[in-house]
Amino acid sequence: MKKLMFIAALMLAVLPTEAQQVKYTINGISKENGKTVVLRDRQTSQIVDSAVVANGKFSMTGNAEKNAYMGMAVKDADWFVMMFNDGTPVTVNLNDSTLKGSPMNERLTRYDIEINAPYGNYMKKIQSMSEEEREKKKVELTGGLMIAVMKMMEGVEKVFKDERESLIPVAFLSEYQEMLGQDKLDSVLATKPVWASHPIAKSLVDYFNHQKAQEAKKNAFIGQQFTDLEEADTDGKMHKLSEFVGKGKWVLVDFWASWCGPCMQEMPNVVAAYEKYHAKGFDVVGLSFDNKKEPWLKAIADQKMPWTHLSDLKGWRTVASSVYDVNSIPDNLLIDPQGKIVARGLRAQGLQNKLKEIFGE
């Protein structure tokens, strides 16, 4: 969970003051009679235009920034049919998410459908199964999902290979960076593809670079001796981190908060790690970013977290944030028995794999 909406600030920072305007003309069909179709700017998330579906049809016309990346959908729907505002009239079918317009926009739509189909279809298959059947085939289904994700990754990679002279990769830039990594994206950017000049691409690349710098700053702690700090436990008694760290045990210093959804999703994994390895010399110290004591204590009880918990109840202004440069949670430090930080940001299977490496099965 981010401390700052940095990406939003970047998006707004690149908005032109006098951008060239191009007319858009959109005609479409939808079975959602009486509902509103919205045209949304995918850079600012602002609604550019809207129309009500009548007799299965709708239409919109107006002016927007040239090559603005936009999406059409019935209001509140998850799936957008995407387009770039290149001046060519568009005919869209919101029933099957297809589009007719310029060659670039038609290719964009096909890529979007093809890339998302493997994962979407597999999820529909899983959702059609009973809970008992899903549990019985858990290993098989997990493997199937991994294959679907790999197919998505192959599709995204193909876009960046085949469409370097068009704007289409802009629509899949976040997926490329997430699936294939920042280093590979940097190598693509070094070739100066056409799409890299689009405002959305520029702002996202700035954001990715900021993330990379932040990660480098965080990872600079790895290999260093831990820095001591002092906070209160659940009873209000003050403790120093040095009471628990550097005393002969492996310790996971866990940065979390009761209001942090991803933290709560990750917590069962931390509990499982504690239960499996505590007797072998593994411990956890929770440093909470909560503001209020009641939800902090409730989360500890609800999640059955048996380790030491400390907090100064100052939210993002907690001493832990400044000492260890924590700007998003969940986050953690794995500290060896001598007090040296050996890893950071261990989550999900990554945490289990690291502890298995240390303690064995």
Side-chain angles (χ1 to χ4, degrees):
M1 187 164 290
K2 293 296 179 187
K3 180 178 180 181
L4 298 173
M5 294 300 289
F6 185 81
I7 189 167
L10 281 172
M11 290 295 193
L12 292 173
V14 298
L15 289 179
T17 54
E18 294 183 12
Q20 181 181 351
Q21 297 290 297
V22 171
K23 182 179 180 180
Y24 60 82
T25 301
I26 300 169
N27 291 295
I29 62 173
S30 170
K31 61 185 177 182
E32 303 287 351
N33 281 312
K35 291 192 176 180
T36 300
V37 174
V38 296
L39 178 67
R40 193 181 295 273
D41 188 310
R42 302 297 285 167
Q43 179 172 347
T44 64
S45 294
Q46 297 297 311
I47 293 176
V48 176
D49 205 343
S50 64
V52 176
V53 180
N55 298 318
K57 298 179 180 181
F58 65 92
S59 63
M60 289 179 263
T61 184
N63 293 296
E65 181 184 345
K66 183 180 180 180
N67 290 326
Y69 174 42
M70 303 193 292
M72 288 163 283
V74 175
K75 194 173 184 180
D76 299 326
D78 292 328
W79 184 275
F80 279 83
V81 176
M82 302 183 294
M83 61 172 275
F84 289 96
N85 186 35
D86 57 9
T88 302
V90 164
T91 301
V92 61
N93 183 340
L94 292 184
N95 298 324
D96 62 9
S97 301
T98 58
L99 176 148
K100 291 184 178 180
S102 68
M104 181 176 67
N105 277 328
E106 290 183 5
R107 294 200 310 277
L108 169 62
T109 304
R110 287 197 298 271
Y111 281 126
D112 195 29
I113 292 172
E114 290 169 5
I115 287 171
N116 286 282
Y119 185 81
N121 292 337
Y122 202 79
M123 285 304 298
K124 287 179 182 177
K125 175 184 175 180
I126 293 175
Q127 290 164 0
S128 69
M129 299 168 66
S130 66
E131 186 174 343
E132 182 180 359
E133 190 177 6
R134 286 197 295 266
E135 185 61 31
K136 185 178 179 180
K137 297 183 177 180
K138 188 174 182 179
V139 174
E140 176 188 334
L141 293 175
T142 300
L145 275 176
M146 291 300 296
I147 292 172
V149 171
M150 288 296 293
K151 288 180 178 178
M152 287 181 68
M153 186 168 68
E154 290 170 2
V156 170
E157 194 166 18
K158 177 176 170 53
V159 169
F160 280 74
K161 179 181 178 181
D162 295 349
E163 296 288 345
R164 55 170 284 107
E165 299 301 321
S166 82
L167 297 178
I168 290 175
V170 171
F172 305 98
L173 186 52
S174 292
E175 288 83 355
Y176 189 92
Q177 191 263 358
E178 182 177 350
M179 292 179 172
L180 294 156
Q182 183 66 37
D183 289 343
K184 193 155 188 178
L185 176 59
D186 287 342
S187 67
V188 173
L189 289 168
T191 67
K192 301 188 184 305
V194 168
W195 55 263
S197 63
H198 192 278
I200 289 181
K202 288 181 177 179
S203 62
L204 281 174
V205 168
D206 284 346
Y207 173 64
F208 297 149
N209 288 336
H210 173 78
Q211 281 187 313
K212 188 175 181 179
Q214 288 289 89
E215 288 303 309
K217 192 174 179 182
K218 286 183 177 183
N219 289 336
F221 286 92
I222 296 174
Q224 303 298 314
Q225 201 71 6
F226 83 96
T227 301
D228 209 2
L229 56 81
E230 189 175 30
E231 292 186 343
D233 65 15
T234 55
D235 294 322
K237 182 180 178 182
M238 298 300 293
H239 291 277
K240 289 187 175 181
L241 191 58
S242 55
E243 295 176 38
F244 314 100
V245 174
K247 302 296 184 182
K249 289 187 176 183
W250 287 86
V251 179
L252 186 76
V253 178
D254 191 36
F255 306 113
W256 71 288
S258 65
W259 46 260
C260 168
C263 299
M264 294 297 95
Q265 291 171 8
E266 173 65 13
M267 203 56 70
N269 183 53
V270 181
V271 171
Y274 179 88
E275 291 176 347
K276 185 173 184 178
Y277 296 108
H278 180 61
K280 295 184 177 183
F282 174 64
D283 209 348
V284 180
V285 176
L287 298 184
S288 170
F289 281 54
D290 275 278
N291 293 286
K292 298 179 180 179
K293 189 171 185 177
E294 291 75 15
W296 175 42
L297 297 182
K298 185 177 186 302
I300 293 170
D302 290 348
Q303 294 284 338
K304 297 180 173 60
M305 298 147 63
W307 50 82
T308 297
H309 291 276
L310 305 176
S311 182
D312 51 18
L313 298 176
K314 293 182 178 179
W316 285 110
R317 293 177 296 161
T318 178
V319 64
S321 177
S322 58
V323 169
Y324 288 108
D325 197 34
V326 182
N327 51 41
S328 65
I329 52 175
D331 194 3
N332 55 49
L333 305 170
L334 182 62
I335 303 177
D336 75 6
Q338 290 73 47
K340 185 174 73 174
I341 299 170
V342 298
R344 182 164 192 168
L346 295 170
R347 296 176 65 179
Q349 194 59 41
L351 174 60
Q352 300 295 336
N353 290 344
K354 186 64 177 179
L355 295 178
K356 181 180 177 180
E357 177 187 316
I358 294 168
F359 296 107
E361 291 290 352

